[in-house]
Amino acid sequence: MVGPNATVWITGASSGIGRALAHHLSREGRTIILSGRSRERLESCALECENAGAGTEVLPFDLSDASERENALAAMAGREIDALINNAGISQRARTVETDFVVDRRIMEIDYFAGVHLVKALLPGMVARGFGRIVAVSSMAGLIGAPLRSAYGAAKAAQIAFYSTLANELAGSGVSAHVVIAGFVRTEISRSALTGDGAPHGHMDAILSEGVDPERAAREITKGVERGRVRIRTGLTFKARQIFFFQRWFPRYLDRRLRQAARS
């Protein structure tokens, strides 16, 4: 993904895919900047990365707060960031009709606008230096009409469109953009997903409990970046492969299955 002594900034680094990516990139003298809301969990991740040979910096902030993002960017002013991994995100578990608009806005702010904010702040410096890697972790929910995930799917679809377009615009500049289309990865995202009134869902989805481990996802993501893939798939359980297959070749059949799931 990046060479020795590079500086990598990872959001959502306290758990799941973000933490696994921090572990995976903690070698060859790299500096890993770890961001998320929990200082305690970030410091725990930092210790693990340092034991693996990386230098670390902990930069906690609330990604949903534009002023906190500005403060984090100010703290990074003048730094050469070689790779930005926009991994932080929050999901949803509620029907559209039951979801307060404030929840839609919060999900879009965290999953889409926050990452775009960081990209637009760091991108000019990367282009001027002629090198950089920008990675966003999205989801197959951005490609299908998954029930109970209207806001989440919309934010993930926006990610796929934005970073795919960015990749085409940056061709030949030395800076690359990549978007990860994740299937099922065994993380806590369903527990923290928002219900219609903004309360946490609090449960692990059965399909995620059977997902691939985050370490495997981290390996597949870094390999995809190294191979220059704009859209990188991971979390390819049997169920995820089925969904991708039907989404491409038999979308009407997939929609029927999703409608059945919505009624259950």
Side-chain angles (χ1 to χ4, degrees):
M1 178 184 284
V2 288
N5 304 311
T7 299
V8 181
W9 188 1
I10 305 174
T11 69
S14 62
S15 64
I17 294 174
R19 192 169 187 134
L21 281 165
H23 293 164
H24 190 66
L25 294 169
S26 293
R27 60 181 187 273
E28 299 180 324
R30 295 189 182 105
T31 297
I32 313 295
I33 301 168
L34 305 164
S35 288
R37 288 184 298 171
S38 170
R39 176 177 289 276
E40 182 180 1
R41 296 177 74 178
L42 292 173
E43 288 178 346
S44 170
C45 181
L47 181 60
E48 295 163 355
C49 293
E50 289 167 5
N51 289 338
T56 65
E57 295 181 32
V58 169
L59 183 62
F61 67 100
D62 184 351
L63 209 69
S64 69
D65 188 321
S67 63
E68 290 201 26
R69 295 198 301 266
E70 289 287 3
N71 290 338
L73 288 166
M76 292 293 104
R79 297 286 300 277
E80 292 190 359
I81 306 298
D82 299 292
L84 169 67
I85 302 178
N86 281 323
N87 167 73
I90 192 164
S91 191
Q92 174 191 20
R93 296 296 183 274
R95 294 177 181 272
T96 305
V97 70
E98 299 166 349
T99 302
D100 294 341
F101 179 63
V102 68
V103 173
D104 294 79
R105 187 179 289 279
R106 178 170 174 77
I107 290 172
M108 186 64 76
E109 187 70 30
I110 294 171
D111 290 14
Y112 177 67
F113 285 117
V116 172
H117 188 175
L118 300 187
V119 166
K120 294 203 170 188
L122 299 180
L123 185 59
M126 290 182 174
V127 171
R129 294 191 302 274
F131 180 81
R133 301 285 179 260
I134 295 170
V135 183
V137 178
S138 186
S139 166
M140 73 161 78
L143 300 175
I144 63 174
L148 309 183
R149 295 161 177 79
S150 57
Y152 180 67
K156 293 304 177 180
Q159 278 187 317
I160 293 168
F162 178 85
Y163 292 95
S164 297
T165 300
L166 185 61
N168 290 335
E169 293 178 349
L170 292 171
S173 70
V175 182
S176 62
H178 313 264
V179 60
V180 178
I181 304 175
F184 301 118
V185 182
R186 194 166 58 251
T187 72
E188 297 293 306
I189 192 169
S190 64
R191 293 188 190 277
S192 59
L194 302 182
T195 55
D197 63 0
H201 177 59
H203 301 289
M204 169 70 87
D205 291 349
I207 201 164
L208 287 181
S209 67
E210 300 170 356
V212 306
D213 64 79
E215 289 73 22
R216 173 178 163 185
R219 292 193 300 271
E220 292 173 345
I221 291 166
T222 53
K223 185 178 291 185
V225 173
E226 289 164 0
R227 292 179 176 178
R229 294 176 179 166
V230 173
R231 286 167 289 280
I232 302 164
R233 292 188 179 184
T234 189
L236 296 180
T237 61
F238 177 73
K239 186 67 172 180
R241 290 180 186 276
Q242 279 188 316
I243 292 172
F244 280 126
F245 175 80
F246 291 134
Q247 185 269 333
R248 180 175 182 181
W249 298 108
F250 302 100
R252 293 178 65 184
Y253 171 76
L254 178 59
D255 282 337
R256 286 199 299 272
R257 293 288 300 272
L258 292 170
R259 288 167 187 168
Q260 290 170 0
R263 291 192 292 269
S264 62

